[in-house]
Amino acid sequence: GHPELGLTPGIQFSSGRLGHLWATVNGIALANPGKSVILLGSDGSQMEGNNAEAARLAVAKKLNVKLCIDDNNVTITGHPSDYLPGYDVQQTLQGHGLKHVSVVQGEDVTALFEALRACVVVEQEPAAVICRRKMAPGIPGVEGTTHGHDTLATKYSIPYLEEQGHTEAA
């Protein structure tokens, strides 16, 4: 889900509605020159107009913003590949002017670590890592579907948790 202040360790503020985070992160980067500011975002947030404007500002001002984008082809509306044929997060970010955009399979932890490490060392300009992965990996009946976007139905979540050894869920 969406990281929330007070619920997720390490979160300094809640992002608000979809698409507002990048502009906020730009403000933090402007206030803290010389430091890298990390944004954890989603493919859905990159569809928002506010993020397009924030991306162009980050490029124009050479802000040290580093993005890690979860690209699971799922939004609350459905699968973007179905309702926005041709939409591609990597091409979108590059179209805004980001020169350093890496794409990894999100479940490959080693590749993800290496891509994030390379992203952070890019000096004084925005860079991104896109993690392509299925929604709700490993959960039968939910993996790759829109059913994992908000909350998991108990008919899927309880059997999955029990399979993982969490019998107290029943």
Side-chain angles (χ1 to χ4, degrees):
H2 300 263
E4 296 294 334
L5 178 65
L7 298 176
T8 308
I11 301 301
Q12 299 296 317
F13 58 89
S14 298
S15 61
R17 74 169 216 58
L18 190 64
H20 281 137
L21 184 58
W22 198 338
T24 303
V25 167
N26 279 352
I28 294 168
L30 285 166
N32 294 279
K35 295 183 180 179
S36 291
V37 182
I38 310 293
L39 180 152
L40 303 176
S42 69
D43 49 351
S45 65
Q46 298 312 307
M47 296 176 195
E48 299 294 326
N50 294 354
N51 272 8
E53 293 174 20
R56 291 190 297 271
L57 176 69
V59 170
K61 297 291 185 181
K62 296 188 181 303
L63 299 180
N64 207 15
V65 174
K66 310 307 177 193
L67 294 86
C68 182
I69 305 295
D70 179 36
D71 183 4
N72 56 29
N73 189 37
V74 171
T75 67
I76 200 162
T77 308
H79 296 285
S81 60
D82 293 339
Y83 64 84
L84 287 174
Y87 175 73
D88 182 272
V89 177
Q90 180 181 13
Q91 289 178 357
T92 298
L93 293 175
Q94 289 171 331
H96 293 317
L98 273 77
K99 297 176 194 165
H100 305 278
V101 180
S102 303
V103 179
V104 299
Q105 294 305 313
E107 302 306 315
D108 183 343
V109 177
T110 301
L112 177 57
F113 174 79
E114 289 301 321
L116 288 170
R117 190 176 60 78
C119 178
V120 170
V121 299
V122 172
E123 291 288 327
Q124 291 304 318
E125 66 180 285
V129 174
I130 300 168
C131 306
R132 292 221 169 110
R133 55 191 296 275
K134 292 181 180 179
M135 172 66 78
I139 303 178
V142 181
E143 181 178 89
T145 73
T146 59
H147 300 296
H149 185 270
D150 291 322
T151 59
L152 294 180
T154 55
K155 69 180 181 179
Y156 300 120
S157 57
I158 290 176
Y160 174 76
L161 290 170
E162 288 175 338
E163 185 179 293
Q164 304 302 311
H166 302 286
T167 56
E168 65 276 8

